[in-house]
Amino acid sequence: MTFVAQEVREYMAQLGFRTFEEMVGHSERLEMRRAIDHWKAHSLDFSRILFQPQVPKTTLRTCQISQEHNVEASLDSTALIPLCKPALERGEKVKAELPIRNVNRVVGTTLGSEVTRRYGGRGLPEDTISLHFRGSAGQSFGAFIPTGVTLTLEGDANDYLGKACRAAKSSSTRRANPRSWPRRTS
């Protein structure tokens, strides 16, 4: 990462910036590459994306109010990590079935982080942690889970199901007895 950071600093210096904060909102420094000679590129117009509205200099363009993610109230923190303590502490197999709702976002990510923190990149042996969920998963179900964690979803999921899984397992199947099916309303 040191080389990436150094290269970023060099590019920023060429553009006349010292900090990321200074770069925010300076779309006038961007220009479309003229060398792109592809039929799809000829019709691209970024003017509306790069448009700079007239605003007073006192208007801030960066985040000024920090977000509250409530990680301590997440399904991982309240249920999964305590449930998987035998696997995390002693490498024992853990198998469980749990309900899930679409408000449960990034289920498995904090658990996966704990596995990686304790066992490194190698993770745990395959299927050490095997969790079966029923219901509707929220965004990023099973994102970034490491080796040794298997998450199965019986139901539906929002976007990014199993995002960036390496050797872990994340799968989804349709519910056997759904309470409601999408239906035509007209």
Side-chain angles (χ1 to χ4, degrees), residues 15 50 64 70 73 79 83 104 106 127 136 141 158 161 164 173 182:
L15 293 168
L50 301 176
Q64 302 300 311
N70 293 324
L83 177 71
N104 302 127
V106 298
D127 296 327
S136 296
F141 173 83
N158 285 344
L161 174 83
T173 59

Side-chain angles (χ1 to χ4, degrees), residues 155-177:
D156 52 16
N158 285 344
D159 58 349
Y160 300 116
L161 174 83
K163 174 171 67 175
C165 284
R166 220 179 42 201
K169 297 179 198 172
S170 174
S171 67
S172 176
T173 59
R174 194 166 67 179
R175 274 184 265 184
N177 297 312

Side-chain angles (χ1 to χ4, degrees), residues 14-175:
Q14 288 173 11
L15 293 168
F17 300 113
R18 289 175 291 126
T19 67
F20 282 101
E21 186 95 7
E22 289 175 3
M23 292 192 313
V24 172
H26 285 283
S27 60
E28 78 278 0
R29 301 305 307 247
L30 301 174
E31 54 187 60
M32 191 145 152
R33 266 206 233 143
R34 302 287 172 224
I36 297 176
D37 187 26
H38 190 275
W39 65 272
K40 288 182 180 179
H42 294 293
S43 62
L44 295 177
D45 177 10
F46 293 105
S47 62
R48 291 183 182 195
I49 294 172
L50 301 176
F51 175 75
Q52 287 290 323
Q54 295 290 343
V55 294
K57 291 209 183 277
T58 56
T59 301
L60 302 172
R61 294 178 180 260
T62 58
C63 178
Q64 302 300 311
I65 302 169
S66 63
Q67 292 182 337
E68 184 54 57
H69 297 287
N70 293 324
V71 174
E72 63 283 344
S74 70
L75 187 61
D76 281 50
S77 295
T78 60
L80 302 187
I81 292 173
L83 177 71
C84 295
K85 208 169 191 172
L88 293 169
E89 292 179 355
R90 298 179 298 282
E92 295 175 11
K93 285 194 176 252
V94 172
K95 189 172 187 171
E97 292 189 12
L98 301 133
I100 191 168
R101 297 178 44 223
N102 68 355
V103 295
N104 302 127
R105 296 175 18 209
V106 298
V107 168
T109 304
T110 307
L111 172 63
S113 176
E114 277 299 311
V115 170
T116 303
R117 190 174 290 115
R118 295 170 191 230
Y119 294 92
R122 73 186 189 305
L124 289 165
E126 189 172 338
D127 296 327
T128 300
I129 297 173
S130 184
L131 304 175
H132 183 88
F133 296 88
R134 282 193 176 90
S136 296
Q139 184 176 5
S140 300
F141 173 83
F144 308 107
I145 56 175
T147 304
V149 179
T150 300
L151 303 183
T152 308
L153 172 65
E154 186 179 330
D156 52 16
N158 285 344
D159 58 349
Y160 300 116
L161 174 83
K163 174 171 67 175
C165 284
R166 220 179 42 201
K169 297 179 198 172
S170 174
S171 67
S172 176
T173 59
R174 194 166 67 179
R175 274 184 265 184

